[in-house]
Amino acid sequence: MDFEDTALYRDITDFADGSPLWIRHGAELWTEAGLLVFALLFASAWWRARRDTPRAFAIAALAPLATAVAYVCSEVLKSAVTQERPCRAVAGAAVSLAECPPHGDWSFPSNHATIAGAAAVALALVRRALLWLTAPLALLMAFSRVYVGVHYPHDVVAGLALGTLVALVAVRLGTGPMTRLAGAMRGSPTTAARWVSGPGPAPVPSYGAHARH
């Protein structure tokens, strides 16, 4: 942590302290509710992918798993770095809008930013156009963690980078095995497995079939 980062933290929290009440309440709500938005996007991506190819379904299924792996990596890194939260360590800063986590709930990197970065990238791998939605949501989530006073700016930047990297690697490594699993599930005699994986894309009638009719 350097002086410039601490000064930026003070600037952002001072700005938050002077913001209108509705903005402060909105930031407090979004900093946690944003995770629910990503969960709903995961569910929507899975549901759509049930009628897509096995590979598309595999990537949709991997998206939340990759995000979970990113979260675990973030927790491991937190335990190694053990950086105190700025709401406790920075003297003279405005009181944090969110309750300052207890000692031992370390600051670097931001779990929320890591999850948001991983989710944004994983969902964009499911459907590229989603990046226009998920990237702004992830950036807003990351900024909100500094705005409410519980993270330094470098915490959230590191979290976004970590989440992005882990999601890219996890999806790349897992797509092949998950695609094979999706194919096996769609051919399974078990009803639950077929429901989870979906029926796949509807068959396209051949020209000969049309001619016979």
Side-chain angles (χ1 to χ4, degrees):
M1 179 179 62
D2 57 31
F3 175 79
E4 290 183 2
D5 196 42
T6 302
L8 181 56
Y9 169 80
R10 284 200 186 97
D11 288 342
I12 293 173
T13 51
D14 285 347
F15 171 74
D17 189 55
S19 298
L21 189 61
W22 66 271
I23 294 180
R24 283 181 279 164
H25 285 333
E28 290 180 76
L29 176 64
W30 171 250
T31 198
E32 298 297 344
L35 299 178
L36 177 60
V37 172
F38 282 115
L40 292 174
L41 288 172
F42 284 142
S44 176
W46 159 73
W47 187 257
R48 288 172 58 94
R50 290 173 73 253
R51 292 191 174 275
D52 211 328
T53 63
R55 186 176 187 278
F57 176 83
I59 296 174
L62 282 169
L65 296 178
T67 302
V69 172
Y71 167 75
V72 171
C73 291
S74 177
E75 279 292 307
V76 170
L77 190 53
K78 272 179 181 286
S79 299
V81 176
T82 65
Q83 175 185 273
E84 188 60 271
R85 295 273 181 169
C87 44
R88 184 172 292 105
V90 178
V95 177
S96 59
L97 300 182
E99 182 180 357
C100 194
H103 177 73
D105 186 347
W106 307 115
S107 184
F108 180 91
S110 164
N111 281 343
H112 284 70
T114 301
I115 291 170
V121 170
L123 286 165
L125 293 174
V126 175
R127 187 180 174 198
R128 190 172 300 177
L130 282 175
L131 186 63
W132 294 101
L133 172 63
T134 60
L137 290 179
L139 291 173
L140 187 59
M141 169 68 75
F143 177 75
S144 74
R145 301 304 288 166
V146 184
Y147 184 90
V148 300
V150 295
H151 279 291
Y152 292 102
H154 68 260
D155 295 339
V156 300
V157 171
L160 289 172
L162 177 63
T164 296
L165 177 62
V166 172
L168 288 172
V169 172
V171 171
R172 181 176 180 83
L173 294 178
T175 296
M178 186 63 79
T179 299
R180 292 190 289 274
L181 178 60
M185 290 175 69
R186 286 178 175 178
S188 171
T190 306
T191 303
R194 294 198 308 272
W195 184 86
V196 169
S197 60
V204 178
S206 66
Y207 175 78
H210 283 295
R212 285 193 297 273
H213 286 292

